[in-house]
Amino acid sequence: MEKRVFNLAYGKKYITSDHVEKKIWIQVGRLVIEPESKYGERISIRLDSLPIDPEFNGMLSAFPYEPRNGSSKNPEDNIAF
């Protein structure tokens, strides 16, 4: 089994100009699950920023890795644990 990489984000609600409520996902870090070793799976979390938004409720969501803003398509290139 190979390493699995996820983006960590939190959802922030906003109202569009036509008064429709939507949610934008703000990426704050990365979650990595490494293959099993003799001690079991290793889970690592790297936070690139800390949400200080008053609407942030402490809940982060993990989504399969997708490169953003010109970052490498290889998730291994952007991880420094």
Side-chain angles (χ1 to χ4, degrees), residues 30 46 48 65 67 71-80:
R30 193 79 44 82
R46 183 187 75 200
D48 297 321
Y65 175 80
S71 62
S72 171
K73 292 184 186 216
N74 180 358
E76 302 296 320
D77 294 344
N78 298 313
I79 299 173

Side-chain angles (χ1 to χ4, degrees), residues 6-10 23-30 48 63-75 78:
F6 300 86
N7 289 328
L8 289 175
Y10 73 95
K23 187 185 284 189
I24 185 171
W25 291 97
I26 301 171
Q27 185 174 329
V28 296
R30 193 79 44 82
D48 297 321
F63 299 96
Y65 175 80
E66 291 182 18
R68 299 187 67 145
N69 301 329
S71 62
S72 171
K73 292 184 186 216
N74 180 358
N78 298 313

Side-chain angles (χ1 to χ4, degrees), residues 12-78:
K12 180 176 181 172
K13 293 180 182 177
Y14 69 98
I15 306 294
T16 64
S17 59
D18 52 343
H19 307 288
V20 176
E21 186 177 284
K22 292 191 173 187
K23 187 185 284 189
I24 185 171
W25 291 97
I26 301 171
Q27 185 174 329
V28 296
R30 193 79 44 82
L31 173 124
V32 177
I33 302 173
E34 296 187 54
E36 290 189 40
S37 67
K38 63 182 177 180
Y39 302 109
E41 286 184 330
R42 177 179 171 196
I43 299 172
S44 301
I45 296 172
R46 183 187 75 200
L47 293 177
D48 297 321
S49 62
L50 296 173
I52 58 170
D53 188 325
E55 295 179 30
F56 177 62
N57 65 3
M59 180 67 75
L60 296 174
S61 297
F63 299 96
Y65 175 80
E66 291 182 18
R68 299 187 67 145
N69 301 329
S71 62
S72 171
K73 292 184 186 216
N74 180 358
E76 302 296 320
D77 294 344
N78 298 313

